[in-house]
Amino acid sequence: MAERLSLNRRINILGIAKDGNELLELAEMLEPEIIIMDIMLKKIYGFEVMKRLKQEGNSAEIVILTKLCNNQAVEEANKFDIKYFLTKPFEPCYLEEIIIDIDNRRADESPPSEINTSNIDNGTELDRRLKDIGIRMNFRGYGYLKIAVRLINENPSIMGALTKELYPEIALLSRSTWKRVERSIRVAIEDAWENGDIESWGRYFGHNRLDSSRKPRNKEVIAFLAKEALYREQEMQYGEYARAL
């Protein structure tokens, strides 16, 4: 199952636990967004694991895969607000759909108004570029991309440290986490890739949707937008200098 899921580029498997103890350890260490687990776990029973996760404040969405399907199990799962309960056997594609659905929902769980985008003007050339490639304003990734461009223009070296510096800085400004920032940007880009203007993608990035291996990465899109913004700023400064002469 893990091998099948790893083929999906939207899914990043952080770890695999062999029992309930190890699951709790990995959950604390890796802070996953989604935990896929059985009820029948070794060492610590599944519902006890869920209880401890809740006590520790772990906010991961839990997906249950199990052969144990009876009224008692369902009632216990409801106590932990489990929304996804799959009984074995099942088609792997169902699990993939659930994971993508959770990822999309959690990436866009807060309205754009909660994102701190102060000092970022609307209606700028940056907005037009975002619109050109199909990044939608109702995605949180839209606001995060604008913040990213501003931060890079202020400190270009941060472009080389996305996960260590750029995402955490955006998260601090937006009262989020760097993992959610990364995921929100990725979801917004993938949505634009799938539904945006193919000619714009080809013009700006040389990418073809028919070649799925050439999907643009976060870093590539952020670098393009930052470079465009810097070019426009220099162009404006040069124009003002020329007028002054």
Side-chain angles (χ1 to χ4, degrees):
M1 180 62 69
E3 184 177 352
R4 164 67 185 264
L5 293 176
S6 66
L7 297 175
N8 191 317
R9 295 185 65 189
R10 288 284 301 275
I11 300 173
N12 180 23
I13 299 176
L14 300 179
I16 300 175
K18 63 179 181 291
D19 56 52
N21 267 335
E22 191 169 325
L23 193 158
L24 288 170
E25 291 173 2
L26 289 177
E28 182 179 5
M29 179 174 62
L30 300 174
E31 297 183 348
E33 295 294 332
I34 303 171
I35 294 175
I36 301 169
M37 59 178 288
D38 201 332
I39 296 172
M40 305 299 290
L41 294 175
K42 296 178 180 179
K43 296 188 178 182
I44 303 179
Y45 194 56
F47 289 122
E48 179 62 24
V49 169
M50 295 177 209
K51 180 181 178 181
R52 295 191 191 183
L53 288 171
K54 186 175 182 179
Q55 290 172 342
E56 292 168 4
N58 190 296
S59 62
E61 187 104 31
I62 295 176
V63 178
I64 292 179
L65 312 179
T66 186
K67 289 182 180 179
L68 180 64
C69 184
N70 54 45
N71 290 338
Q72 184 180 355
V74 173
E75 288 176 6
E76 284 293 318
N78 287 335
K79 292 179 182 178
F80 297 98
D81 195 28
I82 303 299
K83 299 181 177 65
Y84 304 96
F85 194 113
L86 289 181
T87 54
K88 300 176 183 178
F90 58 87
E91 291 295 329
C93 62
Y94 293 155
L95 180 57
E96 287 187 66
E97 290 174 4
I98 286 172
I99 294 171
I100 299 304
D101 178 65
I102 294 172
D103 189 44
N104 288 338
R105 174 165 50 80
R106 289 173 72 95
D108 206 41
E109 60 192 4
S110 300
S113 59
E114 292 187 10
I115 299 174
N116 184 353
T117 55
S118 58
N119 300 324
I120 302 179
D121 296 329
N122 291 319
T124 62
E125 187 66 28
L126 175 57
D127 288 277
R128 286 188 281 275
R129 282 286 180 266
L130 288 166
K131 184 178 179 180
D132 280 349
I133 60 177
I135 304 291
R136 294 193 275 180
M137 291 184 69
N138 62 321
F139 277 65
R140 289 200 301 169
Y142 183 97
Y144 290 152
L145 283 167
K146 295 186 72 172
I147 296 174
V149 169
R150 188 191 73 192
L151 293 175
I152 292 168
N153 284 348
E154 293 173 355
N155 178 18
S157 66
I158 204 172
M159 184 66 223
L162 263 65
T163 57
K164 291 184 178 180
E165 296 184 40
L166 182 60
Y167 294 153
E169 185 67 21
I170 296 172
L172 183 64
L173 292 170
S174 308
R175 286 181 283 185
S176 184
T177 67
W178 77 264
K179 289 183 179 179
R180 289 184 178 179
V181 168
E182 184 280 329
R183 187 175 66 257
S184 295
I185 291 175
R186 172 166 46 83
V187 169
I189 290 172
E190 289 178 353
D191 173 77
W193 167 257
E194 293 170 3
N195 303 302
D197 181 17
I198 191 171
E199 291 186 3
S200 293
W201 281 106
R203 182 165 63 253
Y204 296 140
F205 301 98
H207 287 223
N208 188 326
R209 281 205 198 107
L210 296 177
D211 182 3
S212 60
S213 66
R214 288 283 293 150
K215 278 186 180 181
R217 306 273 185 180
N218 284 16
K219 186 173 184 177
E220 187 176 2
V221 174
I222 292 171
F224 163 75
L225 293 172
K227 183 178 179 181
E228 282 286 304
L230 180 61
Y231 173 77
R232 295 297 174 185
E233 183 179 342
Q234 291 174 340
E235 190 177 51
M236 290 176 61
Q237 289 177 349
Y238 177 78
E240 291 175 0
Y241 174 74
R243 286 194 296 272
L245 292 177

